[in-house]
Amino acid sequence: MDFAIFGIVWVIISALAEWGLHRIGSNTMYFLLSNQGAIALHAFNFLTTMLTPVFLFVIWYLVWTAIRYHADSPESRPSRVQFNKNGLFTGIWITGSIALNLLFWLHPTAADLEQMFAAQLPSVNKNDLIVDVTARQWEWIFSYPQYHLTQTVNANGEDELVIPVHKKVEFRLRSYDPFHTYDVEAGVIHSFWVPAFGIKEDVIPGETRYEYIVATRTASYQTNPEVRVQCAEVCGPGHPWMESPLRIVTASQFKSWIAKQQKLQAAGS
Amino acid sequence: MAQNVVTPTAVKKVRIMPPMLRGFLWAGIGFLLLNSLTASIRPDVGHPFFTEVSVTMGWIGGVIGWLLGVGAYEGMILPLFGVTPRIQPATDWRKYFAFATEHKVVGMQYLTSSGCAFILAGAVAMAMRIELASSTLYFFAYSDRYLSAVGIHGTIMMFAVATVALVGGLGNYMVPLMIGAKTTVFPRLSGLGQWLIPAGVLTVALSPLLGYWTTGWRGYEPLGSQDASGIIFYYLGVAALTMSSLIVSLNLVATIVFNRAPGVTWARLPMYVWGVLTVSILNLIWLPEIQMAFVLRLLDRLVPLNLYNAMGQPLSDLELFWLFGHPEVYIVVVPAFALWNEIIPVMAQKTLFARSWAVIGLIFVMMLSGLVWAHHMFTNMRNSEMFPFSFFTEMISIPTGFAFMAAIGTLWKSRYRLTTPGLLILMSMFNFLHGGISGVYLADPPVNLQVHDTMFVVAHFHYTIIGGMVFTWIAAMYYWLPKITGRMFSEFWGKLLSIWIFVAFNATFSTMFLVGLEGMNRWVPTYPPYLHPLNLAVSIGAWALGTGFVLHAVHIVWAWRKGPKAPDNPWGGRTLEWQTSSPPPDHNFESEPEVVGSFYVYGEHAEPVLAHPPAAPETT
């Protein structure tokens, strides 16, 4: 009897939760607009789909205990039913948890990592747009070596990152301070994070790290505040302000922006 | 020998100043002594009297002076040289404010230290949430103050509360009682360890006096080496706090191995004792590692060594930190798992389900916890390293689940008494489940790369640590309050306040998951304005939670002083601590208990636990 009521309610609330999840599925991680973001969102939703019944099983069981099994008086009386093992239950629990975790390791973990690593192979990255990103305390500096641009800025003179949509971009991430008066190697760990990309990569002093991204639609900080470069690893008192606006534009807009930046740089030098 | 002859004449009352006051005085003397010594032998002429090197040495002198002053001089040093101290240890309430070796006194001292540290670091968290109620900087003068607050909150909560309360505190008090021992094996280690806690907490809390440090509780290099001098006192404070847990663990492991009463076999060992044993072994393995890592950081700064900047290898510092850092979170939560299955069978008066699996779970969590640490570094390690570490991280949920499995099986068709501790245990399982489930997401690298270093992670680990450890700690305090004090708390207020903290806790940290998913990074006192509404909600929840914790503390202290008298065994527990009077007598048991039955079998198969039950009838 207990078994039937508990089980039926569990199935019903799990089904309702899955249906609700399905309805909001594309927004569970708020706002993502890159190929990497699609991988993360897919993994997130897959895990949620699989874990919802597990989660609700325990939650519902705790509520069930409080409702159905609570003692009506505080006096110390043994429970009527007594047992210390149940091979079927422990067997299902242990094999189930092993199977579920092996599944998660194969999919999404291994499957998604294979996709991520494949996107980083040199053979598929021959015509990328290269953006050199330099993290210093506390500023993001963007340069476009293919266009001989050393530091791109907007009309206010603030660092600006602009990338074309649907184009593979290779970010080369380094941490040092080109403006330091005597020690350009002075640098700490930063983390290059665009929330809307769905990935962050730490920038380590003395090393070069790479991140490959294809943005899947045009957007800017004005259209969604998650479209911004944000340092995600604490890097000193300036850390909260180590952010930079980002614009994802069409190919032709990108071209005219590059031309403007080249003119600006020529005028400045 | 000569000294011993002198003692009879010296027995007459010798009054000294209160030991803690003497500790402060001797600490000041010790600090000045070693600081001056260091300053005097420095070769460069004209340097200031206080330098980073000299205050480091001075701090060591200060801590030694403090420990000797509070009573280690009479308790440890004089006996070591065969001198009988002229000052006898206090027997009244003063014994709680001096170096002590009686395990119940030490346990109470530890619980008090931990409780004060919890309130202190909690107040710092309240200040952080005041700042985060607005998207602009308005409460702290500048972000380095805020980041120092983050670091102080995290360091004290981790090393003086979460690691300590269930091991140094309840462990010291309960373990000898639960295994039928009169005392611990190395009581002086525990006694000394307790007094390292206030030293460490004060060192960390006052560190901003030497300059603000911005790294948070992890102290990542190379940022740490460019921070102001205050970070030195963070390194030193952690050294004191970890040393405290290390020597206490040594004592508890030895006690559990060597001091069990006849019949307390490994197969009968109480769940909580298993929890303290596994966590103490984790402490013995990993605390020396983190101490060496912090010594390296200190030397890297003082010498300096260039170990961790662009010329060295910054990542090795992160690796050394997390090699300890992940076992640490299991150090925090393993005793809580054990306590679930300690308290549930008593509240249900029902046989513990699948006991051996619950113990196997604790042991496997202990072993696997050393293999998962690099999941804290998915954003900065090489791709190939993600595979093995995501594997072990996902697998560690299996033995963790055994604690749930045993609890669920025990609760099935039980008659569960929803007393305050019983209710808090269910709440703790509810909360820890959120932490565990969100941990599965974090174990998956593609999701991790997005939510790492965001408030999602902050919510996740507060769910595991507050939800798992702090809720269980409060449950255990209510459960053992009648045992420790002989008095009962108010069920009404206990339950009301538990529901209060449960609602406030979930309101705070479930919202924090959303803040993280929406793109809020960590370690920031300011944030883009679109995150303001959710952050305000988190802040309101956090203040309610903080108030609830303080009220619990007030209620517990009230019950301890003024509560109604409790019977010796109010819950009908079968473990040994309930087979003696409340509060327990000086040597715990009138006669050495001999155990012949299982502690966790109830109902018609229940046999008497003791071969010779005490004469007094068991009250319920």
Side-chain angles (χ1 to χ4, degrees), chain A residues 262-269:
Chain A
Q262 282 168 334
K263 210 183 291 170
L264 202 62
Q265 184 169 310
S269 58

Side-chain angles (χ1 to χ4, degrees), chain A residues 1-3 6 28-32 36 39-40 43-44 47-49 51 54-55 57-59 61-62 64-66 68-86 89-90 93-94 97-98 101-102 104-106 108-110 112-114 116-117 120 137-138 185 187-189 191 193-202 204-209 221 225-226 228 230-241 243, chain B residues 137 142-144 147 214-216 218 220-223 226-227 309-310 313-315 318 348-355 357 379-384 386-388 390-391 394-395 397-398 401-402 404-405 407-419 426 429-430 433-434 437 440-441 443-454 456 514 516-526 528-531 534 570-572 602-604 620:
Chain A
M1 186 60 187
D2 278 21
F3 188 75
F6 178 81
T28 44
M29 294 179 89
Y30 283 97
F31 185 79
L32 296 170
Q36 177 65 34
I39 294 175
F44 190 93
L47 290 173
T48 312
T49 308
L51 288 171
V54 179
F55 177 72
F57 176 85
V58 180
I59 296 293
Y61 190 86
L62 295 169
W64 165 261
T65 298
R68 172 106 177 149
Y69 295 146
H70 77 269
D72 40 16
S73 73
E75 69 191 80
S76 169
R77 251 198 345 255
S79 292
R80 232 169 355 91
V81 184
Q82 297 284 353
F83 53 89
N84 67 0
K85 55 175 181 267
N86 181 326
F89 176 65
T90 36
W93 183 288
I94 292 166
S97 60
I98 290 173
N101 282 291
L102 285 176
F104 288 163
W105 189 61
L106 294 172
T109 300
D112 287 350
L113 284 180
E114 197 177 353
M116 272 176 62
F117 299 169
Q120 297 170 9
Q137 287 171 306
W138 294 274
E185 294 297 331
V188 300
I189 299 174
S191 190
W193 184 38
V194 177
F197 283 175
I199 186 171
K200 61 178 69 68
E201 178 72 36
D202 284 9
I204 315 289
E207 298 188 25
T208 303
R209 292 297 170 92
Y221 185 73
E226 289 199 49
R228 68 181 195 275
Q230 174 81 58
C231 180
E233 182 58 67
V234 64
C235 54
H239 169 62
W241 299 286
E243 55 190 7
Chain B
L137 207 56
Y142 187 51
S143 66
D144 56 352
L147 290 168
T214 61
T215 58
R218 309 165 312 164
Y220 274 8
E221 297 287 353
L223 179 61
Q226 54 160 257
D227 267 338
N309 59 18
Q313 175 53 270
L315 284 189
L318 278 59
Q349 293 289 299
K350 185 161 175 289
T351 305
L352 177 60
F353 179 78
R355 180 181 181 278
W357 284 108
T379 55
N380 50 41
M381 295 195 101
R382 298 298 180 185
N383 290 340
S384 51
M386 291 177 181
F387 271 117
S390 63
F391 177 79
E394 280 156 5
M395 290 309 137
S397 69
I398 298 167
F402 292 172
F404 277 93
M405 181 178 76
I408 284 174
T410 311
L411 288 167
W412 182 249
K413 293 195 175 172
S414 65
R415 179 183 171 277
Y416 190 69
R417 288 177 291 166
L418 274 181
T419 55
L426 295 188
M429 290 174 66
F430 178 98
L433 181 74
H434 288 69
I437 292 280
V440 180
Y441 293 83
D444 180 57
V447 179
N448 180 292
L449 294 177
Q450 169 68 346
V451 295
H452 176 84
D453 276 353
T454 69
F456 185 95
L514 301 181
L517 283 175
E518 215 179 357
M520 179 163 169
N521 47 330
R522 294 172 66 183
W523 303 293
V524 287
T526 72
Y530 77 101
L531 294 163
L534 282 179
W571 317 117
Y602 290 89
E604 55 197 37
T620 51

Side-chain angles (χ1 to χ4, degrees), chain B residues 31-42 49 54:
Chain B
F31 179 90
L32 281 177
L33 208 65
L34 261 85
N35 186 85
S36 312
L37 191 67
T38 314
S40 66
I41 59 172
R42 267 193 72 156
F49 182 62
S54 77

Side-chain angles (χ1 to χ4, degrees), chain B residues 346-385:
Chain B
V346 178
M347 289 303 152
Q349 293 289 299
K350 185 161 175 289
T351 305
L352 177 60
F353 179 78
R355 180 181 181 278
S356 9
W357 284 108
V359 173
I360 289 169
L362 297 177
I363 293 170
F364 269 80
V365 165
M366 174 188 100
M367 298 197 298
L368 278 176
S369 70
L371 301 173
V372 303
W373 50 277
H375 66 222
H376 295 268
M377 299 175 63
F378 281 158
T379 55
N380 50 41
M381 295 195 101
R382 298 298 180 185
N383 290 340
S384 51
E385 283 147 4

Side-chain angles (χ1 to χ4, degrees), chain B residues 165-226:
Chain B
L166 295 182
V167 182
L170 287 172
N172 264 317
Y173 196 104
M174 284 300 159
V175 162
L177 279 164
M178 293 177 93
I179 60 175
K182 284 190 172 68
T183 177
T184 52
V185 170
F186 302 120
R188 286 172 185 150
L189 286 186
S190 284
L192 199 65
Q194 137 62 22
W195 291 103
L196 283 165
I197 297 286
V201 169
L202 284 178
T203 306
V204 174
L206 299 178
S207 61
L209 293 177
L210 288 189
Y212 297 104
W213 46 288
T214 61
T215 58
W217 84 285
R218 309 165 312 164
Y220 274 8
E221 297 287 353
L223 179 61
S225 59
Q226 54 160 257

Side-chain angles (χ1 to χ4, degrees), chain B residues 68-89:
Chain B
L68 295 177
V70 292
Y73 179 64
E74 284 84 10
M76 291 179 81
I77 301 297
L78 290 183
L80 193 65
F81 292 101
V83 182
T84 308
R86 293 166 60 224
I87 301 156
Q88 295 304 311

